[in-house]
Amino acid sequence: MANFYKDNDDLRFYVDKWIDWQPLVAITEESFADDDGHDSLEDALEFYKDLLDMVGNFVADEIAPHAAKIDATPMELVDGEVIFPDVLQTIFDKIKALELHGMCLPRQLGGMNCPLMLYMLNSEMFARADVSTMTHHGFHGGMAMAMLVYSLQEGTTEFELDPPRLVKTRFADAISEIARGEAWGCMDITEPDAGSDMAALRCRGEEDADGNWTVTGQKIFITSGHGKYHFVIARTEDAADPNDPFAGLKGLSMFLVPTYEETGRGKNKKRKRLAEIGRLEEKIGHKGSATCQIHFDKTPAHLIGERGEGFKYMLLLMNNARVGVGFESIGLCEAALRMAKEYAAERRSMGKTIDQHEMIADYIAEMEADVVGLRAIAVEACYHEEMNQKVSMVAEHLLAEGSLDRARRDKEARHHKATARRMTPLLKYLAAEKAVEMARRCMQIHGGVGYTKDYGAERLLRDALVMPIYEGTSQIQALMCMKDTLGGIMKNPQEFVRRIAQARWRSLSARDPLERRFAKLQATSLSAQQHLITKTATDKIKGLRGVPMGKWQHALTKDWNPKKDFAYAMLHAERLTRILADELVCELLWEQAQAHPERRVWLERYLDRAEPRARFLLDEITTTGERLLRKLAGNGEATREEAARA
Ligand SMILES: Cc1cc2nc3c(=O)[nH]c(=O)nc-3n(C[C@H](O)[C@H](O)[C@H](O)COP(=O)(O)OP(=O)(O)OC[C@H]3O[C@@H](n4cnc5c(N)ncnc54)[C@H](O)[C@@H]3O)c2cc1C
């Protein structure tokens, strides 16, 4: 019996030795307390490990062997409904029988009340078996959880305080339907003329005289769009300033839209569609996941929260989804690494197996270290995102305003929120890009057969290519990282100066050579940030000659022109993000190495590659781009000398 949990030492390191389960279990049980809760931490952990073991076995034996067939057997749109091939339907039925859809939902709503962390670790294993099945499964529980979180946010979930327990929640019926595996959920944002640019969304939400809402418009690329419950983001107000490209974000609202109604039971069941599936997208990969075009025409809708709060609600959903893509990408990386290693250990060339040839050995060694590094970010980002959401919920709903407990919890939630915000785009960016790189390497290691369908290497590459596109493209993640990083420096330049001094000092004086190397990497990252902030604030800094950097805050934070001032930083955002991601991996592996000396080797192996990469990227950031920016600004392609003379 194969088992994707038992055969993965790095994954089990997190479960057995690294994840701080105590606060996660406590807050998960505290949020949705009930009589069937775990008696102790040990009890909960035993249950989680049994579940991981069971899922590890299930995905290895019941999904992975069918991945090629899932890829080769298309689903169809028949009379407006998506029909899945038998191979997928059988898997979905088994997932339903195992009751995995409700893993994170409160027990009172038909779930197991497990931490989101457990769900994500399981998702990685699902994705290793087949990414599209993982995506499909993720759109069950994930959306049901979102219904609960939205209801909490808008204040339509009620709790008893003593003992704390859930009394009722607005979407309880829909949540239970999803938990039972009888309905799917999905997230409808993208439109033909609006993907990354959400301010351009046109789908409309309209309210009639009786306060009933409908939505009208077209959404495209909707994963699991065949499902019943759609979170639709639609425009309820026009942009106040047509010249401001971001003004449109303020007029968006979030709706829950059931896309069909069913009457009768069994063979007499009849479905009436309230929104039409226009078509199934023909994709190059993710063949087991239904990606649909949806048409809404005055379809009845339920407004979530207040009108105009759509972007805020969308971000809540996106954060979890981006962490989810991080784990999904790692699952695919793990599959690519193992497939590549297995083939390279068997295939012979020029007198030895190809894993003994230096270049191939180097590829595999880098892939191994990258998977370890990615998992370090993923677990940490997930931990902080989950703690942020649950601690905020407990503080807001179960603790009295003004109490000491409430103040403590609020502070704790702010810390988790800031950390998750720093880590999530770095995870999404790096994991997605690495999925493509590793799948490509796996294919290369297979040589000619990699280009055929025989081993499945090309399938991994086709599946990987969407990771840097959906849930916010790599470029959008890079812009977020850049803006947050430079914004943080502007808000607190003294702290930035202190960090530079500290990194330089540690790079010279730390006792541990690995700490010195990590501190040097940090110093390189800070140099890149310093260069970008100096370039970004050139005009403002001109007036600050002689003023120490620690005192620039006031001048830096006023009178910004985002179009002009950020051009240089936007040009180099991806390079900066790559350095920041390496820095974060090393920071986390350094923490692990201090507590578990057997992890030092991973930090060393990661640093070996991150150090020269960071130096190269810093060089690119400091020496390239001026010519392109002059061209984009309409000043032609003048040489540096000509531009200087002009
Ligand atoms: C298989 C699949 C499943 C999907 N599932 C869903 C789903 O469930 N729900 C949903 O709503 N959507 C879904 N999407 C849509 C997906 O989220 C979008 O495709 C994505 O957000 C990019 O939008 P776009 O395709 O319009 O590209 P565009 O926004 O047009 O971008 C094109 C290119 O330009 C770049 N770009 C855009 N703006 C900037 C900028 N300011 N700076 C630098 N570069 C920029 C982008 O990074 C990208 O490389 C899915 C897509 C696919 C392929």
Side-chain angles (χ1 to χ4, degrees), residues 218-237:
Q218 189 189 8
K219 295 286 179 181
I220 57 169
F221 296 146
I222 305 307
T223 302
S224 293
H226 63 293
K228 181 172 179 182
Y229 294 105
H230 290 229
F231 283 114
V232 179
I233 189 153
R235 179 161 302 290
T236 47
E237 268 77 34

Side-chain angles (χ1 to χ4, degrees), residues 213-277:
W213 286 92
T214 56
V215 293
T216 300
Q218 189 189 8
K219 295 286 179 181
I220 57 169
F221 296 146
I222 305 307
T223 302
S224 293
H226 63 293
K228 181 172 179 182
Y229 294 105
H230 290 229
F231 283 114
V232 179
I233 189 153
R235 179 161 302 290
T236 47
E237 268 77 34
D238 288 324
D241 175 2
N243 295 319
D244 176 355
F246 301 107
L249 292 176
K250 290 195 186 120
L252 299 173
S253 300
M254 180 64 86
F255 298 91
L256 181 65
V257 187
T259 52
Y260 57 81
E261 286 170 349
E262 281 179 334
T263 50
R265 286 170 170 274
K267 283 187 179 162
N268 296 325
K269 201 188 254 184
K270 284 219 168 74
R271 182 174 287 190
K272 179 183 162 202
R273 279 231 150 249
L274 306 169
E276 303 299 325
I277 301 176

Side-chain angles (χ1 to χ4, degrees), residues 626-639 642-643 646:
E626 297 280 6
R627 183 195 313 276
L628 181 72
L629 289 178
R630 281 197 299 276
K631 187 179 173 197
L632 289 175
N635 297 335
E637 283 204 74
T639 62
E642 285 163 351

Side-chain angles (χ1 to χ4, degrees), residues 139 186-192 194-197 220-224 283 286 291 466 469-476 479:
F139 273 75
C186 59
M187 173 168 76
D188 303 19
I189 302 169
T190 309
E191 296 174 9
S196 309
D197 183 7
I220 57 169
F221 296 146
I222 305 307
T223 302
S224 293
K283 311 183 299 277
H286 273 236
T291 310
V466 78
I469 295 175
Y470 63 13
E471 302 301 355
T473 64
S474 285
Q475 292 69 37
I476 296 301
L479 289 178

Side-chain angles (χ1 to χ4, degrees), residues 28-29 38 47-48 51 102-107 111-119 386 390:
T28 303
E29 292 297 327
H38 298 289
F47 177 70
Y48 300 164
L51 198 63
M103 195 184 292
C104 297
L105 291 170
R107 295 181 195 91
M112 301 181 198
N113 204 34
C114 292
L116 180 70
M117 177 70 83
L118 198 76
Y119 167 79
E386 175 161 25
K390 290 185 174 165

Side-chain angles (χ1 to χ4, degrees), residues 531-545:
H531 183 79
L532 289 176
I533 197 86
T534 310
K535 280 285 196 184
T536 302
T538 307
D539 292 343
K540 294 181 174 55
I541 286 173
K542 273 184 196 149
L544 294 172
R545 286 225 174 88

